[in-house]
Amino acid sequence: MKTHASDNPHEWTNNFLDDCHEMAREHLAPYLGKMFENCNLAMLEFADKAESNTSQIRFMEAGNIIKRNRDNIENSFFESLQQGFTRFKQACNRQGTRSLPATFSTDISEDQMTLVSKDDTDIQVAIQNMVASASLGATLELTGIKQRLSVLNNGHKLEENQIPAGPHALANAFHKAAEGLVLEHESRLIVYLLFDRFVLSNTAALYEQYNEKLLKAGLLQHLKYEARKNPNTPQKKRSASNNNQQSSSATGGNAQGPGQSLSDELFDSILSLMSQRNPRLNHAPANAVQQTEIVSAIHSVQQKLDNLDTRVIPDQATGQLAHSVGHLVATLSAEREQLFNGVDRRHMPEADTQVIDLVGMMFEYMLNDADIPNVAKAVLSRLHTPYLKVAIMDRTFFSDNEHTAHILLNELAQAGAHWVFENAPERGILPCMRKIVARIIFEFDDDLTIFNDLLETLRSNIDDLEVKANRIEEHSRQAAEGKEKLELARLCADTAITELVGKYTVPAAIRQMLGETWNDKLTFIFLREPNADQSDSWRLALQTIESILWCTEPKTTTEEQTALRECSMDTHKQIQQSLDTLSAYGASDLAADMSLVREYTQAAFSAPPPDPAESSNPEQAVASETRRPDQGEGTVAEDSPPHKQAGIFAEYMTNQSDEQTDAAIMDDTITPETVAAMEALDAVPFGTWFTLQADEGQAAIQAKLSWHSHISGNYMFVDSMGKRSAVLHRGELVRLMMSGRAEAIEPVQHPFVQRAMEKIRRVLGGEQATQA
């Protein structure tokens, strides 16, 4: 451990742990805020899909409860986070005190995580699953943190549930913070799942930064991790001598076999072109190096590959590689030079030299593949040396589609292109790829059967990702459909109430009641009733609203007041019955609503008489005629505040950009090119991948067309994990297609190795043509 400037080691430890605590808090705060921002929308979506009116109301109320308690939950969560670091500092400062334990507990053992209520087993399982998932996604980082913190803990070993700000600690802190939420079981479970999705699943970068901070402090700087072999796994040794004669032959011939899809002609033509490029190798060397010596030299280079290779260490702030693709190419060349330093190249058979060069060109092709993210290229480039050994041992690797190492490399490259996310590498297949690469580097000796196990591991992980992505995509579609349906329901409710209020001079308090209680009732009716605006419930609600308006509008003439006195009792009774009938559609205080109606009905009797000057106005005279709820047109009092706009739709329309608004009305300037682009869009099936560049200043993204709304004309695109990545209006998408900034991606026809071999042949053939 480094010598630190402070003379007091306890003081340095406390200050250092305070810095770690602040780092964790700064990382977690925005993700926790994101979780709360999505809580209300999640509860609305569950309310829309609720099987009963009671459940629907509970979900709606849960969103309000969470919103009111947000500050308390956040404060409690971060207080528990701080307490975890405080307990660890106390444990570290107990050096030499025999009466006290030298280790500490973050208070989240399995027994302590057991919930008070035996009925809450779902939540207990959710907690255990989210902790296990977060721990699995950062296994190496947490191992390093645990061992380095043990140094601070006076050398006493830590368990994962004792790591301050570790997955166990974070889950326990949130569980304690959420205890104050008075929610139904289903709503509480949703909150825990949201915490897992928005907070715990985004901790991998925190633990990388945590580990790096401990490393920079001088704690176990040379700590390395080794992938251990399972002693119970039988190792089938494949004799390398079976392929020795074939690999050392200067003729470059290939063994024939079933399942070869890369033709021998392609492979032989590449070797022929390589021979023409290096005519000095067109002779059999004296004292040729044996294959076993070449394999041994490659194995020595392979063992020098560090498990924490600099090629896979990203910049923590940006998530981008610290080394460019050019650096990776240079690294591959350096590995081959190390090999030739161990073997005299002049005595290597031509076929083996060509195989080594061919593997190098194949991996350089991979590094220049625009479809594979840089972070995946860095991981896959570490396979260069192990695959040199594969190709030397068995040259059918290049031409045999059934060769397991051939298949594994194809599927790793495809998985890297499809399931790796540069900005969030922990989301997709990259953690699995790292483990597979590490196993090949540390466990692959001369037994090719290891690739069978690794291929099964990769496919199992991809299957899991596909299931998860399909589930997330379905949820994204349902959320988009539910949001649009909710927006349409709000719009219809707003429109209906606005039209009714426009007929009457309405007191401000009545307007507020209609904007709150009755807007929600109309919205619920629209969401739950088939043909909502034609249903009996919808018509009853509108009739009741108009009765309330008629009763509470100030009556300024004797005729109006007389009519109100005669009908008020019956009208109030009808309103009361309607309120009872419609009570299933949203919660409301019936007694308070009726009290308000009666109060303003009474006030309507004492309305001041009209101004004589105004009564001479014919239009005013018409307005002062006696009206019943189904008669006449009125005016809205100018001093009345606007009624509440329950307006997800209104807010949505307000937030539309000028570009989207222009796109929505582009039908005014339709051209033949526009028509052709629209027809092309209509012919594109769902599931088609696009390259999208919404803004010229932004990088293009790849996204899959997943959903189209006939209500708004919006098209939704998702990423590989099914998460929504873009929503474009039809007109905007057509405009992007016309400008070339939105293009459907043609599916890849051939696997990686075949594409690489064909490219290499074209490049070598072009070189020969140039020389000629």
Side-chain angles (χ1 to χ4, degrees), residues 85-384:
F85 280 95
T86 300
R87 286 193 294 269
F88 183 69
K89 286 191 290 186
Q90 293 171 349
C92 294
N93 294 335
R94 289 171 182 165
Q95 185 174 8
T97 306
R98 295 187 177 182
S99 60
L100 295 174
T103 58
F104 76 102
S105 171
T106 57
D107 204 28
I108 60 170
S109 65
E110 291 296 329
D111 293 337
Q112 291 165 324
M113 284 182 63
T114 301
L115 305 180
V116 175
S117 173
K118 297 299 183 182
D119 296 333
D120 287 341
T121 54
D122 286 347
I123 292 180
Q124 182 174 355
V125 171
I127 294 174
Q128 293 171 350
N129 287 343
M130 68 174 70
V131 169
S133 178
S135 300
L136 182 62
T139 302
L140 288 180
E141 291 77 12
L142 289 171
T143 301
I145 293 170
K146 182 172 61 176
Q147 296 189 35
R148 292 185 169 101
L149 287 179
S150 297
V151 177
L152 294 180
N153 194 32
N154 308 313
H156 294 282
K157 181 180 179 181
L158 268 68
E159 301 298 332
E160 285 196 7
N161 63 357
Q162 295 176 315
I163 298 175
H168 290 78
L170 297 182
N172 184 61
F174 184 77
H175 177 52
K176 288 183 177 179
E179 285 178 347
L181 284 175
V182 183
L183 297 175
E184 296 292 331
H185 174 67
E186 289 181 337
S187 299
R188 177 180 289 271
L189 183 59
I190 292 169
V191 174
Y192 279 82
L193 295 178
L194 289 172
F195 176 77
D196 181 29
R197 175 181 176 183
F198 288 97
V199 182
L200 266 191
S201 63
N202 289 290
T203 53
L206 167 64
Y207 297 136
E208 289 180 6
Q209 188 177 359
Y210 201 162
N211 207 34
E212 183 70 18
K213 192 173 187 69
L214 293 167
L215 181 64
K216 289 181 179 179
L219 300 173
L220 301 181
Q221 290 180 310
H222 301 291
L223 178 65
K224 298 180 182 180
Y225 312 106
E226 180 176 359
R228 299 180 179 178
K229 296 182 181 180
N230 184 351
N232 298 322
T233 301
Q235 299 293 326
K236 299 179 181 179
K237 296 295 181 180
R238 176 171 176 172
S239 174
S241 61
N242 294 338
N243 299 314
N244 185 52
Q245 184 177 358
Q246 176 182 327
S247 298
S248 302
S249 171
T251 63
N254 289 317
Q256 300 291 333
Q260 294 180 348
S261 60
L262 281 176
S263 65
D264 292 341
E265 179 183 356
L266 172 62
F267 184 54
D268 288 340
S269 65
I270 290 175
L271 296 182
S272 176
L273 290 169
M274 293 177 71
S275 297
Q276 295 176 35
R277 187 178 62 170
N278 298 287
R280 65 183 181 85
L281 296 177
N282 291 342
H283 64 279
N287 302 321
V289 177
Q290 297 298 307
Q291 187 201 65
T292 53
E293 185 178 347
I294 299 173
V295 171
S296 177
I298 297 174
H299 187 73
S300 297
V301 176
Q302 178 180 324
Q303 293 306 303
K304 293 178 183 179
L305 294 177
D306 189 357
N307 192 36
L308 296 179
D309 195 296
T310 57
R311 285 174 289 189
V312 295
I313 298 179
D315 185 289
Q316 299 294 341
T318 63
Q320 296 177 348
L321 292 179
H323 300 275
S324 66
V325 171
H327 175 81
L328 296 177
V329 173
T331 301
L332 300 187
S333 298
E335 289 177 5
R336 292 193 294 275
E337 288 302 318
Q338 292 180 39
L339 167 62
F340 293 130
N341 288 337
V343 178
D344 189 347
R345 185 167 187 168
R346 295 171 300 177
H347 295 282
M348 288 183 63
E350 177 189 4
D352 292 332
T353 303
Q354 291 174 338
V355 164
I356 292 172
D357 291 339
L358 183 55
V359 171
M361 287 187 283
M362 184 172 64
F363 273 85
E364 289 181 15
Y365 170 83
M366 180 269 293
L367 293 177
N368 289 297
D369 191 334
D371 292 334
I372 302 177
N374 285 342
V375 67
K377 292 176 181 177
V379 175
L380 294 177
S381 68
R382 301 180 69 212
L383 292 175
H384 167 254

Side-chain angles (χ1 to χ4, degrees), residues 687-725:
T688 298
W689 283 84
F690 275 74
T691 298
L692 297 176
Q693 186 183 19
D695 297 317
E696 293 184 357
Q698 296 180 350
I701 64 170
Q702 291 188 358
K704 182 173 68 171
L705 178 61
S706 177
W707 173 78
H708 171 228
S709 168
H710 295 287
I711 297 174
S712 65
N714 286 338
Y715 287 80
M716 183 180 73
F717 294 84
V718 298
D719 62 14
S720 300
M721 290 302 301
K723 184 179 178 181
R724 184 180 70 178
S725 58

Side-chain angles (χ1 to χ4, degrees), residues 679-690:
E679 292 176 350
L681 177 59
D682 292 338
V684 174
F686 291 108
T688 298
W689 283 84
F690 275 74

